[in-house]
Amino acid sequence: MSDLPESCEVQGLLIKVSGLDNNEGDERVKRIVHRVVSDLFKTIEEFDVQPDEFWAAMSYLTELGQANEVGLLVPGLGIETFLDLRTDQAERKAGVEGGTPRTIEGPLYVAGAPLSKREARLDDGSEEGEVLFMDGQVRDVNERPVAGAVVDVWHANPLGGYSFFDPSQPKYNLRRRIETDAEGRYRFRSVLPAGYACPPEGPTQKLLDQLGRHGRRPAHIHFFVTAPGYRKLTTQINIDGDEYLHDDFAFATRDGLIPEVRRSTDPAEVRARGLNAPFAEITFDFVLHPVRADVPNTVVTRPHAEAA
Ligand code: MBD
Ligand code: FE
């Protein structure tokens, strides 16, 4: 590898590129741009990247944005998990321990889902799939129930598609916000999701193919759990038994997030629920930390769609 990136000429170029020779602008942005562009120059040098390879990469980024898949490639490259690991580490350093593990938000949250007290039904009866009853309690790390917490839940349908992003689904299908009762309890009825697969013709899968990787996620259910005075929890549960449970392209599976799925096949129980086929039940409690002034908060600001 040549030392061109280290030469006076290129070092001077990098200083000017990142505005480090002027007194305007934002100091942090300048330093980060300097680092990122320097590292890119070194990468180009080390791999002897040719101009047409470089422009293929730029076309790729353009395509990624145009396909609205930036939020899909980020978890696929483990970057969203890395951000979580850094938050975990900051909490550990501050002695914030225990509680429900966090895991990534992913790109498919839609804000503004219908809000109800204590319980909800997430589907409108049009989904063909195994019925799921899920319930649990929101508590704090001192075992106290958290009344008035909001459990914001979203998941895919039995075909692996998310409402809004899959326009064939009803508005806010499989998306609800449920406020916990005086004992911190919530419950909902839904249908078991299937795992997600990256769009096979999209730019994310195109890169994964070149890495010899699949773009599949195990079946999962997402949650934001919030309550005044508590740190926001962003997490997911996985549906046990999925073949991708420990082979998630988005690296979101964590210990403590794989609850038991109870199967009810007893005809009397099935009838008592007003159903005509066996159903699944999951109980999962969420444990929150009280707010702390000395650790960065866990509310992540990022763009979210809102269903029209
Ligand atoms: C998903 O459903 C998801 O949760 C993530 C992280 C990436 C792609 C699809
Ligand atoms: Fe998801």
Side-chain angles (χ1 to χ4, degrees):
M1 170 170 160
S2 93
D3 48 13
L4 186 59
E6 312 299 334
S7 67
C8 286
E9 188 178 11
V10 173
Q11 288 297 309
L13 176 63
L14 284 164
I15 295 282
K16 282 190 254 168
V17 161
S18 44
L20 285 166
D21 62 344
N22 72 53
N23 294 315
E24 313 298 315
D26 183 283
E27 196 58 28
R28 181 170 165 82
V29 172
K30 292 180 184 194
R31 292 176 57 195
I32 292 175
V33 166
H34 185 265
R35 163 58 73 87
V36 169
V37 180
S38 297
D39 286 354
L40 178 60
F41 285 10
K42 284 183 200 153
T43 301
I44 290 171
E45 187 67 32
E46 184 177 339
F47 291 90
D48 193 21
V49 172
Q50 296 302 303
D52 48 2
E53 293 179 295
F54 178 79
W55 287 108
M58 294 304 100
S59 298
Y60 178 81
L61 291 179
T62 303
E63 192 193 334
L64 189 69
Q66 285 169 348
N68 196 20
E69 286 196 8
V70 173
L72 192 55
L73 184 63
V74 165
L77 294 180
I79 302 166
E80 205 168 342
T81 292
F82 181 66
L83 297 179
D84 274 351
L85 294 174
R86 295 192 74 245
T87 305
D88 291 347
Q89 185 178 56
E91 289 187 343
R92 264 197 315 276
K93 273 191 197 153
V96 175
E97 273 178 278
T100 302
R102 69 170 44 77
T103 195
I104 65 172
E105 172 184 326
L108 303 174
Y109 178 71
V110 176
L115 175 65
S116 56
K117 289 192 190 295
R118 183 170 147 75
E119 61 189 359
R121 181 168 173 177
L122 276 56
D123 67 301
D124 68 359
S126 63
E127 293 293 353
E128 302 268 358
E130 189 176 352
V131 170
L132 166 67
F133 294 100
M134 181 161 169
D135 69 352
Q137 185 184 38
V138 180
R139 289 191 303 275
D140 68 17
V141 283
N142 300 310
E143 302 281 306
R144 277 186 289 264
V146 180
V150 173
V151 176
D152 194 337
V153 50
W154 73 102
H155 67 81
N157 73 0
L159 299 173
Y162 283 81
S163 66
F164 183 84
F165 302 95
D166 166 8
S168 77
Q169 295 184 38
K171 185 173 171 178
Y172 287 119
N173 194 42
L174 314 181
R175 301 176 184 275
R176 289 295 184 277
R177 289 177 297 158
I178 306 165
E179 197 181 307
T180 57
D181 68 11
E183 281 81 52
R185 301 206 172 270
Y186 74 92
R187 63 182 188 192
F188 64 80
R189 171 182 168 162
S190 195
V191 286
L192 273 180
Y196 172 91
C198 289
E201 303 307 324
T204 299
Q205 189 57 56
K206 192 154 106 184
L207 179 59
L208 292 173
D209 285 347
Q210 298 213 39
L211 304 177
R213 293 178 49 197
H214 66 71
R216 308 289 296 267
R217 294 211 61 210
H220 60 279
I221 302 176
H222 296 265
F223 302 92
F224 288 145
V225 185
T226 54
Y230 292 93
R231 291 168 67 73
K232 176 177 181 171
L233 172 66
T234 299
T235 196
Q236 306 175 25
I237 59 157
N238 288 118
I239 308 304
D240 201 2
D242 192 293
E243 71 171 299
Y244 293 101
L245 191 57
H246 296 291
D247 187 19
D248 178 5
F249 102 96
F251 308 101
T253 304
R254 303 192 90 172
D255 290 345
L257 299 177
I258 311 169
E260 181 196 352
V261 181
R262 308 187 301 276
R263 287 271 168 13
S264 278
T265 49
D266 174 31
E269 262 185 84
V270 169
R271 248 180 290 115
R273 300 274 192 157
L275 303 175
N276 50 27
F279 58 94
E281 286 180 290
I282 294 173
T283 297
F284 193 81
D285 298 340
F286 298 100
V287 179
L288 303 181
H289 290 281
V291 283
R292 286 272 297 254
D294 57 335
V295 199
N297 84 45
T298 48
V299 178
V300 176
T301 303
R302 58 184 280 185
H304 290 138
E306 192 149 350

